[in-house]
Amino acid sequence: MYKHILIPVALDHETLVDRKLEIARHLLAEDGKITLLTVLENIPGFVSEFVDLKIDNHLTQKVADRLKAAAGSDARINCKVVTGKPGVQIAAYADSESVDLILVGSHHPSAQDYFLGSTASRVVRRAGCSVFVVRDGDG
């Protein structure tokens, strides 16, 4: 059983959240915790020049609200939103927070991704802990 399970949630893979949570609950130690994590990529500088309002704060809050909605009332689930490159930040967060299992989703793989999605393959290569890849069934 795992003490701390990290579930990265990509905005375009939200359909996998319930399935990943179900799997995580089966693998979680009695006193364990789950973290739902979304990594928002930074807006390039040349784009931010043309944006009048700080959408980062609004987007971060909206994403956090969606994660909290997915977590429901389960007190074992924490929600976190960070910025950066997903494949790097997921592994870095796992290392810094003593995560012992990452439950990452993957769908519609292509040959250049070695049959995993690009973020999933980056997490598998970089993670210092076990990684469980959940397929969406459409691949």
Side-chain angles (χ1 to χ4, degrees), residues 47-116:
V47 173
S48 64
E49 288 181 28
F50 301 102
V51 179
D52 289 335
L53 51 112
K54 296 287 182 192
I55 60 169
D56 287 348
N57 294 337
H58 299 294
L59 181 58
T60 299
Q61 188 57 53
K62 284 183 180 184
V63 171
D65 291 344
R66 285 164 70 173
L67 292 177
K68 289 174 188 168
S73 61
D74 193 333
R76 300 173 300 172
I77 302 176
N78 301 312
C79 301
K80 184 79 175 164
V81 180
V82 298
T83 58
K85 299 242 180 252
V88 174
Q89 291 303 319
I90 292 165
Y93 184 88
D95 287 342
S96 70
E97 298 297 321
S98 301
V99 168
D100 51 355
L101 178 67
I102 301 171
L103 246 160
V104 66
S106 179
H107 74 270
H108 303 296
S110 60
Q112 71 261 24
D113 294 327
Y114 305 104
F115 304 107
L116 285 177

Side-chain angles (χ1 to χ4, degrees), residues 13-71:
H13 289 211
E14 279 187 287
T15 57
L16 283 175
V17 174
D18 289 339
R19 189 158 160 230
K20 288 194 282 187
L21 279 170
E22 180 182 343
I23 292 166
R25 286 180 177 118
H26 286 293
L27 298 173
L28 191 64
E30 193 171 314
D31 59 342
K33 66 179 178 178
I34 298 169
T35 300
L36 295 178
L37 174 73
T38 293
V39 181
L40 299 175
E41 294 206 45
N42 293 319
I43 297 173
F46 68 91
V47 173
S48 64
E49 288 181 28
F50 301 102
V51 179
D52 289 335
L53 51 112
K54 296 287 182 192
I55 60 169
D56 287 348
N57 294 337
H58 299 294
L59 181 58
T60 299
Q61 188 57 53
K62 284 183 180 184
V63 171
D65 291 344
R66 285 164 70 173
L67 292 177
K68 289 174 188 168

Side-chain angles (χ1 to χ4, degrees), residues 3-18:
K3 291 273 191 186
H4 188 183
I5 299 175
L6 177 63
I7 301 177
V9 179
L11 298 178
D12 61 336
H13 289 211
E14 279 187 287
T15 57
L16 283 175
V17 174
D18 289 339

